[in-house]
Amino acid sequence: MDRMEFRLLGSIDAGVGGRRLELGPRKRRYVLAALLLDLNRPVPVERLIDAVWDGAPPDSARITVQGHVYRLRRALCGARLETTSSGYVLMADPDEVDALRFRRLVAAARGADDAAGADLLEEALGLWRGPALGGPGGGKELEMAAIELEEARLAAVENLARRLLRLGRPERAVAPLRSVVSAAPHRERLVSLLMTAFSRLGRQAEALEQYERTRRWLADELGIDPTPELRDTFTTLLSAQP
């Protein structure tokens, strides 16, 4: 039997045997995401409603959710989505859900040495295709889940970068750091690590440019100065300039 694939680290999506499944409109995908985030556990209809609508749901919300579940059951070949006395439960192997696999790999990296841990973290980060749960949308429950996943991604990048720098592999740290720093310029520890990686590759000019870009962004957008940690990294790199 072909393996199912459920994707939350980017657009909400599903496939089987390399074939993408037609899931339908956005609200139906939000229902699927809520079921996947509580995989193999019953999810009450009220929680599915909260996942779909931000604010007061319409009077037809319960019937609408039931309709989405019915159509998801057909799209997912029936047997995987079950009705229980307390709601609906989606049954699957956790490794079929990219967000759950990501968390498993990150957890496994914690107990590994730097080399093995870096490989696990790179595999975990390679699962990401875009903003968690497809970006803003849905109810508060999905919004909070997306924020938690994005925070876990930033922590994984930081963990990976520190390991790679200790291993003397700064070239492998630059791409993941650049990706998250461009999306989260306020994460100064990540900026500091990116500057350090540039420096160890002999790219001091890029490191100093990154500092200046971050300093301007912090001043213009937040009205604050860089943290002492980031200023110390800048001072260290500046003193190393010929």
Side-chain angles (χ1 to χ4, degrees):
M1 184 176 178
D2 288 329
R3 181 182 177 86
M4 289 287 296
E5 296 179 15
F6 297 102
R7 294 180 283 270
L8 300 176
L9 303 180
S11 58
I12 302 167
D13 209 349
V16 58
R19 175 175 61 88
R20 184 180 180 187
L21 297 177
E22 181 52 56
L23 298 178
R26 181 182 300 180
K27 283 184 170 55
R28 192 172 305 155
R29 293 168 188 267
Y30 293 156
V31 171
L32 176 60
L35 291 166
L36 289 169
L37 290 168
D38 267 316
L39 191 70
N40 300 326
R41 295 194 296 267
V43 182
V45 174
E46 289 74 18
R47 283 190 59 194
L48 295 177
I49 291 172
D50 290 341
V52 172
W53 283 278
D54 183 13
D59 293 338
S60 60
R62 178 176 289 269
I63 294 174
T64 301
V65 164
Q66 291 170 343
H68 285 318
V69 170
Y70 170 75
R71 288 169 178 79
L72 281 173
R73 184 179 284 123
R74 295 181 63 184
L76 302 176
C77 308
R80 307 178 70 89
L81 181 49
E82 302 173 2
T83 303
T84 71
S85 59
S86 54
Y88 299 102
V89 56
L90 182 57
M91 306 297 295
D93 180 344
D95 258 9
E96 293 177 338
V97 184
D98 61 358
L100 301 183
R101 187 177 172 202
F102 167 79
R103 291 193 181 279
R104 178 182 65 76
L105 290 167
V106 168
R110 294 191 193 108
D113 62 30
D114 279 345
D119 289 341
L120 288 166
L121 290 167
E122 286 182 325
E123 182 180 353
L125 291 165
L127 298 171
W128 285 77
R129 300 167 294 110
L133 307 181
K140 285 291 182 184
E141 184 161 329
L142 286 192
E143 181 183 342
M144 293 305 299
I147 290 172
E148 288 175 6
L149 284 168
E150 291 290 352
E151 286 295 321
R153 180 188 188 184
L154 294 176
V157 170
E158 180 177 346
N159 189 352
L160 172 62
R162 292 189 186 283
R163 288 171 182 265
L164 291 174
L165 291 174
R166 286 196 296 265
L167 290 166
R169 301 172 185 170
E171 70 285 352
R172 283 170 56 182
V174 168
L177 284 169
R178 254 184 168 164
S179 175
V180 296
V181 163
S182 63
H186 60 289
R187 302 301 285 251
E188 295 180 64
R189 282 186 297 181
L190 297 173
V191 174
S192 179
L193 288 168
L194 179 57
M195 290 169 60
T196 301
F198 278 143
S199 176
R200 293 188 185 179
L201 290 169
R203 295 157 61 176
Q204 272 81 2
E206 287 178 80
L208 300 177
E209 287 170 9
Q210 182 63 58
Y211 175 83
E212 182 58 24
R213 192 156 50 245
T214 301
R215 185 195 65 76
R216 286 199 306 268
W217 188 91
L218 291 171
D220 294 343
E221 299 297 326
L222 303 180
I224 60 175
D225 294 325
T227 60
E229 178 185 356
L230 187 57
R231 290 201 303 271
D232 287 347
T233 301
F234 171 72
T235 303
T236 300
L237 298 183
L238 193 63
S239 64
Q241 284 282 87

